[in-house]
Amino acid sequence: MISRQKKVGSNDPCLCGSGKKYKKCCFASDMHAEQKYADLHRMIDVRQRLMDRHLVPYLSGLVPEDKLKVAMVEFLPNGFPVSQWRPNRELEEEMFEQLFLWLIFSWRSDNCPTERVIAMQYLHDFGKKLTQEERQFIKMACQAHYGFYMVEKVTMDGQIHVQDILLDEDHIVQEHIISCHLQCGDILFCQLLTLHGNAIFHSWFPSILPPRSYADLFDLRNSLQKDFGQPLTASALRDQHYQVLHDAFIRIAFASAVLSELQDICDEELYVYKLYFMLSVDLKTAVQKLLPLTQQKSADAILSQAQRDSEGNLVQVYMHWQQRSNQGQDKWSDMGDIFLKNSSLVAQVETQELADRFRFLVENYLDGQVVYDGMKKTSCDQSESEYE
């Protein structure tokens, strides 16, 4: 949405510089954007009103304090590494707000007679006290699923472009609170609420996963799809897989914290190198030609785990770059991760030497069918520098 510093008349020249009158240029798009923005703010206001006037007091009266303490540990275990992206006091307040959102809209208490979440139990018992807008919000929030969202772009006006890693969906989130703390590659474990194509963060866990977590989450998605027997859905993530997702988040967050501590001890900065290539060959052929980079003898094992569209066409493929270890013929070392999607290939390694070696190997195996498109060097503190 364009932010205009002064009121523009309908017959005035448009501020975009086109030379046209405002009413014949950006007026319609600005009005549409402002309406969507107003709708999102109204949704946030409805949530706050529900929490303050209805749901938090209801939770406090329904669930004993000792059970709330147990639920807090379920939300975040003792010693959990919280991301310090705010002053400590603000961070503590934010954690409590997110805890209450999780307790009310996601946690299932045995104090509810039908094992509903708290919000749905309140809707059942006291729904007549609420406005239609408030009732609709509760239903929408209780239908939301937790997922892993990778930040792809952050704009100056607070828009965050994210990818749902598990469902492979793109969203635009309108968020002014944490957008200044996020960078490309950051991964959040959270819920989104979508209205008219735009979304807000509804509830998130207060720790940001680093970009290197993507490989673990890609493996998690493949494992869930294999168990589920079909492509994942939002309802399946919400109703069947939430505990698996939560456990994975806790495990990865703790592992990332340990790695950061090791970095501090060694006083040596660690990096992730991402190499980008454009393919002029289909994904199946690319996998077959890159097979020597893995320990697999056939491409079938890799392709069986790949993501496909409704017609069975390959959409995305993940591969481990592995090399036989000098410790024995049956020992293999992990060198990096390879992602193939549509007509692109992205590789992720941890040293400049591995990056150079991978580029050499790929350009040889895909001779004439791949074009190098640059590299990003990302440190563990998420700072990025780009090379062409």
Side-chain angles (χ1 to χ4, degrees):
M1 181 175 67
I2 298 176
S3 176
R4 300 183 181 275
Q5 299 299 319
K6 63 179 181 178
K7 185 175 178 63
V8 185
S10 60
N11 289 314
D12 292 341
C14 186
L15 294 184
C16 74
S18 66
K20 299 179 181 179
K21 292 182 178 181
Y22 178 50
K23 66 182 180 182
K24 294 186 177 180
C25 190
C26 291
F27 175 80
S29 61
D30 281 1
M31 292 302 101
H32 180 63
E34 288 177 9
Q35 182 60 50
K36 289 199 298 184
Y37 193 66
D39 290 341
L40 290 171
H41 271 281
R42 186 164 62 251
M43 182 162 57
I44 294 172
D45 291 341
V46 169
R47 179 180 66 186
Q48 195 62 49
R49 187 170 66 245
L50 272 170
M51 294 289 287
D52 293 343
R53 298 180 183 178
H54 301 279
L55 299 177
V56 172
Y58 179 69
L59 171 70
S60 301
L62 181 67
V63 183
E65 185 177 347
D66 59 333
K67 289 191 176 182
L68 286 178
K69 290 180 178 179
V70 172
M72 290 175 65
V73 177
E74 183 182 338
F75 177 69
L76 288 182
N78 293 327
F80 183 80
V82 177
S83 297
Q84 296 292 332
W85 45 264
R86 289 213 193 169
N88 289 338
R89 184 174 179 180
E90 290 185 16
L91 180 66
E92 185 175 339
E93 293 174 355
E94 190 63 56
M95 283 181 61
F96 273 104
E97 180 177 342
Q98 297 309 314
L99 169 63
F100 277 106
L101 286 170
W102 176 79
L103 285 170
I104 288 169
F105 291 100
S106 299
W107 180 59
R108 295 186 182 274
S109 169
D110 54 13
N111 287 77
C112 294
T114 57
E115 295 190 359
R116 294 187 178 99
V117 296
I118 299 294
M120 290 302 293
Q121 187 64 44
Y122 186 89
L123 183 63
H124 177 268
D125 294 343
F126 304 105
K128 292 182 179 180
K129 293 183 178 181
L130 304 176
T131 66
Q132 181 179 357
E133 196 172 36
E134 290 169 338
R135 291 193 294 270
Q136 289 176 341
F137 179 88
I138 288 178
K139 292 177 182 178
M140 178 173 60
C142 290
Q143 291 296 312
H145 71 281
Y146 276 97
F148 294 95
Y149 294 88
M150 183 174 66
V151 177
E152 296 183 322
K153 183 170 69 172
V154 181
T155 65
M156 294 295 292
D157 60 353
Q159 284 191 346
I160 308 171
H161 295 241
V162 299
Q163 179 199 29
D164 186 332
I165 296 174
L166 300 179
L167 298 183
D168 195 25
E169 297 175 349
D170 296 321
H171 300 274
I172 298 176
V173 181
Q174 191 70 43
E175 175 61 68
H176 291 284
I177 297 176
I178 66 170
S179 60
C180 58
H181 301 281
L182 296 175
Q183 300 188 41
C184 292
D186 286 345
I187 298 174
L188 297 173
F189 183 54
C190 62
Q191 290 177 318
L192 296 187
L193 296 184
T194 303
L195 189 67
H196 303 317
N198 273 12
I200 62 169
F201 291 125
H202 171 54
S203 173
W204 66 85
F205 280 72
S207 187
I208 299 171
L209 301 182
R212 60 178 175 271
S213 308
Y214 188 91
D216 289 330
L217 297 173
F218 195 92
D219 285 342
L220 174 64
R221 184 179 74 181
N222 286 339
S223 176
L224 290 175
Q225 286 186 164
K226 184 177 181 180
D227 293 341
F228 193 48
Q230 55 183 309
L232 294 173
T233 63
S235 59
L237 293 178
R238 181 187 66 245
D239 300 332
Q240 301 176 38
H241 302 308
Y242 165 73
Q243 194 59 53
V244 174
L245 304 185
H246 181 266
D247 291 347
F249 166 72
I250 298 297
R251 173 178 54 80
I252 294 172
F254 270 114
S256 299
V258 170
L259 186 60
S260 297
E261 290 177 5
L262 288 174
Q263 175 188 332
D264 293 339
I265 293 173
C266 297
D267 195 27
E268 180 179 334
E269 195 156 24
L270 302 178
Y271 293 96
V272 171
Y273 296 78
K274 284 189 175 181
L275 296 90
Y276 298 85
F277 301 85
M278 299 300 296
L279 299 172
S280 59
V281 64
D282 63 89
L283 295 186
K284 182 177 181 180
T285 302
V287 170
Q288 292 171 337
K289 292 195 171 188
L290 294 175
L291 199 60
L293 296 177
T294 75
Q295 62 172 307
Q296 301 294 337
K297 296 181 180 180
S298 168
D300 294 341
I302 297 172
L303 295 174
S304 65
Q305 299 294 322
Q307 182 180 348
R308 299 176 182 270
D309 60 22
S310 57
E311 297 178 354
N313 299 313
L314 284 174
V315 175
Q316 189 166 331
V317 183
Y318 168 67
M319 304 170 63
H320 281 298
W321 176 25
Q322 296 172 305
Q323 178 176 291
R324 194 180 298 276
S325 171
N326 56 16
Q327 297 177 1
Q329 287 295 99
D330 297 328
K331 301 290 185 180
W332 291 77
S333 300
D334 288 333
M335 311 299 288
D337 302 292
I338 307 170
F339 307 91
L340 298 98
K341 184 176 181 180
N342 298 326
S343 59
S344 65
L345 184 155
V346 180
Q348 181 172 294
V349 297
E350 294 184 352
T351 68
Q352 180 70 57
E353 180 185 358
L354 288 175
D356 293 341
R357 191 193 312 176
F358 182 84
R359 180 180 176 183
F360 173 79
L361 291 171
V362 166
E363 289 179 337
N364 274 273
Y365 288 133
L366 295 175
D367 184 27
Q369 296 177 313
V370 66
V371 176
Y372 179 63
D373 196 33
M375 180 179 73
K376 286 183 180 179
K377 177 183 177 183
T378 309
S379 69
C380 287
D381 63 2
Q382 313 308 318
S383 62
E384 291 189 352
S385 55
E386 190 165 340
Y387 300 85
E388 295 301 331

